[in-house]
Amino acid sequence: MNNVIKNKKEEVSNGIELNDKDYLNSINSTLKEMVKNYSVVLTEASNENLFKVYKKIFDNIITMQRQTFELIFEKGWYILEKAEKNKINNKFSTLNQEFIDLNNQE
């Protein structure tokens, strides 16, 4: 069984010079960091108006990050692995038990 989810890889030039794949990966990494940072900013916004401004910026950044990731995946430069059903079930059980434990602490 093939556990890989991928698209046909678009070839790029090798060597010292940056190519489209390098640029897109760099942009994607930067946008992911911005998403993380704006998540913190949102939780620390001092008032509702400031929160709304940050939220609009966050929404734009996360949309750009998703579009960038989708382009990288479309070009075959990102490969996903199918999770086995038992791994998904085990993870769900673990997270569900943690959720139950948290609710029981109240």
mmCIF file of all heavy atoms in Angstrom, residues 15-44:
data_model
loop_
_atom_site.group_PDB
_atom_site.id
_atom_site.type_symbol
_atom_site.label_atom_id
_atom_site.label_comp_id
_atom_site.label_asym_id
_atom_site.label_seq_id
_atom_site.Cartn_x
_atom_site.Cartn_y
_atom_site.Cartn_z
ATOM 1 N N GLY A 15 21.832 23.858 -7.937
ATOM 2 C CA GLY A 15 22.999 24.717 -7.896
ATOM 3 C C GLY A 15 22.893 25.775 -6.830
ATOM 4 O O GLY A 15 22.005 25.760 -5.976
ATOM 5 N N ILE A 16 23.763 26.715 -6.901
ATOM 6 C CA ILE A 16 23.915 27.737 -5.879
ATOM 7 C C ILE A 16 22.825 28.815 -5.934
ATOM 8 O O ILE A 16 22.481 29.416 -4.924
ATOM 9 C CB ILE A 16 25.328 28.371 -5.973
ATOM 10 C CG1 ILE A 16 25.568 29.329 -4.811
ATOM 11 C CG2 ILE A 16 25.558 29.004 -7.298
ATOM 12 C CD1 ILE A 16 26.993 29.799 -4.696
ATOM 13 N N GLU A 17 22.276 29.041 -7.119
ATOM 14 C CA GLU A 17 21.276 30.094 -7.260
ATOM 15 C C GLU A 17 19.917 29.632 -6.762
ATOM 16 O O GLU A 17 19.539 28.469 -6.889
ATOM 17 C CB GLU A 17 21.182 30.524 -8.723
ATOM 18 C CG GLU A 17 22.439 31.199 -9.221
ATOM 19 C CD GLU A 17 22.321 31.692 -10.648
ATOM 20 O OE1 GLU A 17 21.189 31.768 -11.157
ATOM 21 O OE2 GLU A 17 23.367 31.989 -11.234
ATOM 22 N N LEU A 18 19.178 30.561 -6.167
ATOM 23 C CA LEU A 18 17.847 30.246 -5.666
ATOM 24 C C LEU A 18 16.887 29.991 -6.822
ATOM 25 O O LEU A 18 16.989 30.599 -7.878
ATOM 26 C CB LEU A 18 17.318 31.389 -4.808
ATOM 27 C CG LEU A 18 18.094 31.682 -3.521
ATOM 28 C CD1 LEU A 18 17.536 32.922 -2.844
ATOM 29 C CD2 LEU A 18 18.052 30.504 -2.576
ATOM 30 N N ASN A 19 15.953 29.077 -6.592
ATOM 31 C CA ASN A 19 14.948 28.768 -7.602
ATOM 32 C C ASN A 19 13.556 29.001 -7.009
ATOM 33 O O ASN A 19 13.417 29.403 -5.847
ATOM 34 C CB ASN A 19 15.127 27.333 -8.113
ATOM 35 C CG ASN A 19 15.100 26.336 -6.980
ATOM 36 O OD1 ASN A 19 14.226 26.388 -6.116
ATOM 37 N ND2 ASN A 19 16.046 25.404 -6.972
ATOM 38 N N ASP A 20 12.519 28.734 -7.788
ATOM 39 C CA ASP A 20 11.140 28.965 -7.330
ATOM 40 C C ASP A 20 10.819 28.183 -6.060
ATOM 41 O O ASP A 20 10.158 28.681 -5.155
ATOM 42 C CB ASP A 20 10.139 28.604 -8.426
ATOM 43 C CG ASP A 20 10.154 29.577 -9.588
ATOM 44 O OD1 ASP A 20 10.747 30.678 -9.436
ATOM 45 O OD2 ASP A 20 9.580 29.257 -10.640
ATOM 46 N N LYS A 21 11.291 26.949 -5.992
ATOM 47 C CA LYS A 21 11.055 26.122 -4.808
ATOM 48 C C LYS A 21 11.685 26.777 -3.569
ATOM 49 O O LYS A 21 11.050 26.843 -2.514
ATOM 50 C CB LYS A 21 11.631 24.720 -5.027
ATOM 51 C CG LYS A 21 11.460 23.796 -3.852
ATOM 52 C CD LYS A 21 12.092 22.442 -4.146
ATOM 53 C CE LYS A 21 12.043 21.550 -2.927
ATOM 54 N NZ LYS A 21 12.749 20.286 -3.145
ATOM 55 N N ASP A 22 12.897 27.262 -3.691
ATOM 56 C CA ASP A 22 13.567 27.918 -2.573
ATOM 57 C C ASP A 22 12.800 29.155 -2.111
ATOM 58 O O ASP A 22 12.605 29.363 -0.907
ATOM 59 C CB ASP A 22 14.995 28.343 -2.965
ATOM 60 C CG ASP A 22 15.891 27.171 -3.297
ATOM 61 O OD1 ASP A 22 15.740 26.100 -2.686
ATOM 62 O OD2 ASP A 22 16.761 27.330 -4.183
ATOM 63 N N TYR A 23 12.380 29.964 -3.073
ATOM 64 C CA TYR A 23 11.645 31.178 -2.736
ATOM 65 C C TYR A 23 10.324 30.858 -2.037
ATOM 66 O O TYR A 23 9.986 31.463 -1.015
ATOM 67 C CB TYR A 23 11.377 32.033 -3.983
ATOM 68 C CG TYR A 23 12.590 32.747 -4.513
ATOM 69 C CD1 TYR A 23 13.064 32.498 -5.794
ATOM 70 C CD2 TYR A 23 13.271 33.681 -3.734
ATOM 71 C CE1 TYR A 23 14.183 33.154 -6.289
ATOM 72 C CE2 TYR A 23 14.392 34.343 -4.223
ATOM 73 C CZ TYR A 23 14.841 34.075 -5.499
ATOM 74 O OH TYR A 23 15.943 34.725 -5.972
ATOM 75 N N LEU A 24 9.578 29.904 -2.589
ATOM 76 C CA LEU A 24 8.285 29.565 -1.988
ATOM 77 C C LEU A 24 8.440 28.953 -0.600
ATOM 78 O O LEU A 24 7.664 29.248 0.304
ATOM 79 C CB LEU A 24 7.492 28.628 -2.897
ATOM 80 C CG LEU A 24 6.835 29.290 -4.104
ATOM 81 C CD1 LEU A 24 6.213 28.247 -5.018
ATOM 82 C CD2 LEU A 24 5.789 30.297 -3.667
ATOM 83 N N ASN A 25 9.448 28.113 -0.415
ATOM 84 C CA ASN A 25 9.684 27.544 0.913
ATOM 85 C C ASN A 25 10.063 28.623 1.922
ATOM 86 O O ASN A 25 9.637 28.586 3.076
ATOM 87 C CB ASN A 25 10.750 26.449 0.857
ATOM 88 C CG ASN A 25 10.195 25.137 0.366
ATOM 89 O OD1 ASN A 25 9.056 24.782 0.663
ATOM 90 N ND2 ASN A 25 10.992 24.407 -0.399
ATOM 91 N N SER A 26 10.843 29.581 1.487
ATOM 92 C CA SER A 26 11.220 30.683 2.366
ATOM 93 C C SER A 26 10.004 31.526 2.741
ATOM 94 O O SER A 26 9.804 31.883 3.909
ATOM 95 C CB SER A 26 12.281 31.554 1.677
ATOM 96 O OG SER A 26 12.621 32.654 2.494
ATOM 97 N N ILE A 27 9.188 31.846 1.758
ATOM 98 C CA ILE A 27 7.959 32.620 2.014
ATOM 99 C C ILE A 27 7.043 31.850 2.954
ATOM 100 O O ILE A 27 6.504 32.405 3.916
ATOM 101 C CB ILE A 27 7.246 32.950 0.688
ATOM 102 C CG1 ILE A 27 8.071 33.955 -0.124
ATOM 103 C CG2 ILE A 27 5.839 33.465 0.927
ATOM 104 C CD1 ILE A 27 7.622 34.108 -1.566
ATOM 105 N N ASN A 28 6.877 30.545 2.701
ATOM 106 C CA ASN A 28 6.009 29.729 3.534
ATOM 107 C C ASN A 28 6.499 29.701 4.984
ATOM 108 O O ASN A 28 5.706 29.841 5.916
ATOM 109 C CB ASN A 28 5.915 28.307 2.963
ATOM 110 C CG ASN A 28 4.811 27.510 3.581
ATOM 111 O OD1 ASN A 28 3.678 27.970 3.702
ATOM 112 N ND2 ASN A 28 5.125 26.290 3.981
ATOM 113 N N SER A 29 7.787 29.538 5.182
ATOM 114 C CA SER A 29 8.359 29.523 6.543
ATOM 115 C C SER A 29 8.136 30.858 7.248
ATOM 116 O O SER A 29 7.775 30.899 8.423
ATOM 117 C CB SER A 29 9.859 29.223 6.492
ATOM 118 O OG SER A 29 10.081 27.915 6.055
ATOM 119 N N THR A 30 8.346 31.934 6.524
ATOM 120 C CA THR A 30 8.135 33.265 7.105
ATOM 121 C C THR A 30 6.678 33.471 7.483
ATOM 122 O O THR A 30 6.372 33.956 8.582
ATOM 123 C CB THR A 30 8.582 34.356 6.111
ATOM 124 O OG1 THR A 30 9.978 34.178 5.826
ATOM 125 C CG2 THR A 30 8.349 35.748 6.663
ATOM 126 N N LEU A 31 5.768 33.086 6.603
ATOM 127 C CA LEU A 31 4.340 33.240 6.899
ATOM 128 C C LEU A 31 3.921 32.374 8.084
ATOM 129 O O LEU A 31 3.119 32.803 8.918
ATOM 130 C CB LEU A 31 3.497 32.908 5.662
ATOM 131 C CG LEU A 31 3.582 33.934 4.532
ATOM 132 C CD1 LEU A 31 2.957 33.381 3.258
ATOM 133 C CD2 LEU A 31 2.922 35.247 4.930
ATOM 134 N N LYS A 32 4.462 31.162 8.195
ATOM 135 C CA LYS A 32 4.135 30.308 9.333
ATOM 136 C C LYS A 32 4.601 30.946 10.649
ATOM 137 O O LYS A 32 3.884 30.902 11.650
ATOM 138 C CB LYS A 32 4.755 28.921 9.164
ATOM 139 C CG LYS A 32 4.012 28.096 8.141
ATOM 140 C CD LYS A 32 4.484 26.694 7.869
ATOM 141 C CE LYS A 32 5.622 26.103 8.553
ATOM 142 N NZ LYS A 32 5.951 24.743 8.123
ATOM 143 N N GLU A 33 5.772 31.543 10.645
ATOM 144 C CA GLU A 33 6.257 32.241 11.839
ATOM 145 C C GLU A 33 5.370 33.431 12.181
ATOM 146 O O GLU A 33 5.077 33.704 13.345
ATOM 147 C CB GLU A 33 7.705 32.693 11.657
ATOM 148 C CG GLU A 33 8.723 31.612 11.831
ATOM 149 C CD GLU A 33 8.669 30.964 13.209
ATOM 150 O OE1 GLU A 33 8.626 31.682 14.233
ATOM 151 O OE2 GLU A 33 8.656 29.721 13.250
ATOM 152 N N MET A 34 4.934 34.149 11.147
ATOM 153 C CA MET A 34 4.045 35.292 11.374
ATOM 154 C C MET A 34 2.714 34.835 11.963
ATOM 155 O O MET A 34 2.164 35.496 12.857
ATOM 156 C CB MET A 34 3.837 36.063 10.071
ATOM 157 C CG MET A 34 5.078 36.790 9.606
ATOM 158 S SD MET A 34 4.873 37.586 8.000
ATOM 159 C CE MET A 34 3.806 38.959 8.443
ATOM 160 N N VAL A 35 2.187 33.705 11.485
ATOM 161 C CA VAL A 35 0.943 33.161 12.033
ATOM 162 C C VAL A 35 1.123 32.859 13.524
ATOM 163 O O VAL A 35 0.274 33.212 14.348
ATOM 164 C CB VAL A 35 0.501 31.894 11.260
ATOM 165 C CG1 VAL A 35 -0.580 31.134 12.015
ATOM 166 C CG2 VAL A 35 0.010 32.264 9.873
ATOM 167 N N LYS A 36 2.227 32.227 13.874
ATOM 168 C CA LYS A 36 2.499 31.920 15.291
ATOM 169 C C LYS A 36 2.574 33.200 16.118
ATOM 170 O O LYS A 36 1.991 33.295 17.201
ATOM 171 C CB LYS A 36 3.817 31.158 15.433
ATOM 172 C CG LYS A 36 3.792 29.764 14.897
ATOM 173 C CD LYS A 36 5.176 29.157 15.043
ATOM 174 C CE LYS A 36 5.346 27.940 14.183
ATOM 175 N NZ LYS A 36 6.713 27.416 14.226
ATOM 176 N N ASN A 37 3.297 34.184 15.612
ATOM 177 C CA ASN A 37 3.472 35.430 16.356
ATOM 178 C C ASN A 37 2.161 36.197 16.507
ATOM 179 O O ASN A 37 1.877 36.750 17.574
ATOM 180 C CB ASN A 37 4.537 36.303 15.693
ATOM 181 C CG ASN A 37 5.914 35.700 15.807
ATOM 182 O OD1 ASN A 37 6.212 34.931 16.708
ATOM 183 N ND2 ASN A 37 6.782 36.028 14.867
ATOM 184 N N TYR A 38 1.369 36.235 15.445
ATOM 185 C CA TYR A 38 0.088 36.931 15.547
ATOM 186 C C TYR A 38 -0.892 36.191 16.448
ATOM 187 O O TYR A 38 -1.765 36.806 17.049
ATOM 188 C CB TYR A 38 -0.521 37.203 14.166
ATOM 189 C CG TYR A 38 -0.116 38.566 13.647
ATOM 190 C CD1 TYR A 38 0.992 38.723 12.844
ATOM 191 C CD2 TYR A 38 -0.834 39.702 14.003
ATOM 192 C CE1 TYR A 38 1.386 39.969 12.390
ATOM 193 C CE2 TYR A 38 -0.454 40.957 13.551
ATOM 194 C CZ TYR A 38 0.664 41.085 12.750
ATOM 195 O OH TYR A 38 1.042 42.326 12.319
ATOM 196 N N SER A 39 -0.743 34.890 16.585
ATOM 197 C CA SER A 39 -1.572 34.153 17.544
ATOM 198 C C SER A 39 -1.306 34.663 18.960
ATOM 199 O O SER A 39 -2.236 34.857 19.747
ATOM 200 C CB SER A 39 -1.289 32.657 17.474
ATOM 201 O OG SER A 39 -1.692 32.133 16.248
ATOM 202 N N VAL A 40 -0.052 34.887 19.255
ATOM 203 C CA VAL A 40 0.307 35.428 20.568
ATOM 204 C C VAL A 40 -0.219 36.853 20.705
ATOM 205 O O VAL A 40 -0.806 37.219 21.729
ATOM 206 C CB VAL A 40 1.840 35.388 20.785
ATOM 207 C CG1 VAL A 40 2.229 36.104 22.062
ATOM 208 C CG2 VAL A 40 2.330 33.951 20.801
ATOM 209 N N VAL A 41 -0.025 37.654 19.678
ATOM 210 C CA VAL A 41 -0.497 39.043 19.703
ATOM 211 C C VAL A 41 -2.003 39.096 19.975
ATOM 212 O O VAL A 41 -2.477 39.910 20.773
ATOM 213 C CB VAL A 41 -0.153 39.754 18.371
ATOM 214 C CG1 VAL A 41 -0.885 41.067 18.233
ATOM 215 C CG2 VAL A 41 1.346 39.983 18.268
ATOM 216 N N LEU A 42 -2.762 38.216 19.330
ATOM 217 C CA LEU A 42 -4.214 38.201 19.524
ATOM 218 C C LEU A 42 -4.586 37.899 20.971
ATOM 219 O O LEU A 42 -5.535 38.477 21.509
ATOM 220 C CB LEU A 42 -4.865 37.182 18.591
ATOM 221 C CG LEU A 42 -4.951 37.597 17.128
ATOM 222 C CD1 LEU A 42 -5.352 36.410 16.265
ATOM 223 C CD2 LEU A 42 -5.918 38.743 16.944
ATOM 224 N N THR A 43 -3.855 37.004 21.592
ATOM 225 C CA THR A 43 -4.186 36.651 22.982
ATOM 226 C C THR A 43 -3.792 37.749 23.964
ATOM 227 O O THR A 43 -4.261 37.756 25.093
ATOM 228 C CB THR A 43 -3.492 35.339 23.410
ATOM 229 O OG1 THR A 43 -2.077 35.515 23.379
ATOM 230 C CG2 THR A 43 -3.905 34.187 22.512
ATOM 231 N N GLU A 44 -2.952 38.675 23.522
ATOM 232 C CA GLU A 44 -2.488 39.727 24.412
ATOM 233 C C GLU A 44 -2.991 41.120 24.029
ATOM 234 O O GLU A 44 -2.535 42.118 24.594
ATOM 235 C CB GLU A 44 -0.958 39.709 24.463
ATOM 236 C CG GLU A 44 -0.413 38.418 25.035
ATOM 237 C CD GLU A 44 1.096 38.356 25.052
ATOM 238 O OE1 GLU A 44 1.761 39.299 24.592
ATOM 239 O OE2 GLU A 44 1.619 37.332 25.530
#
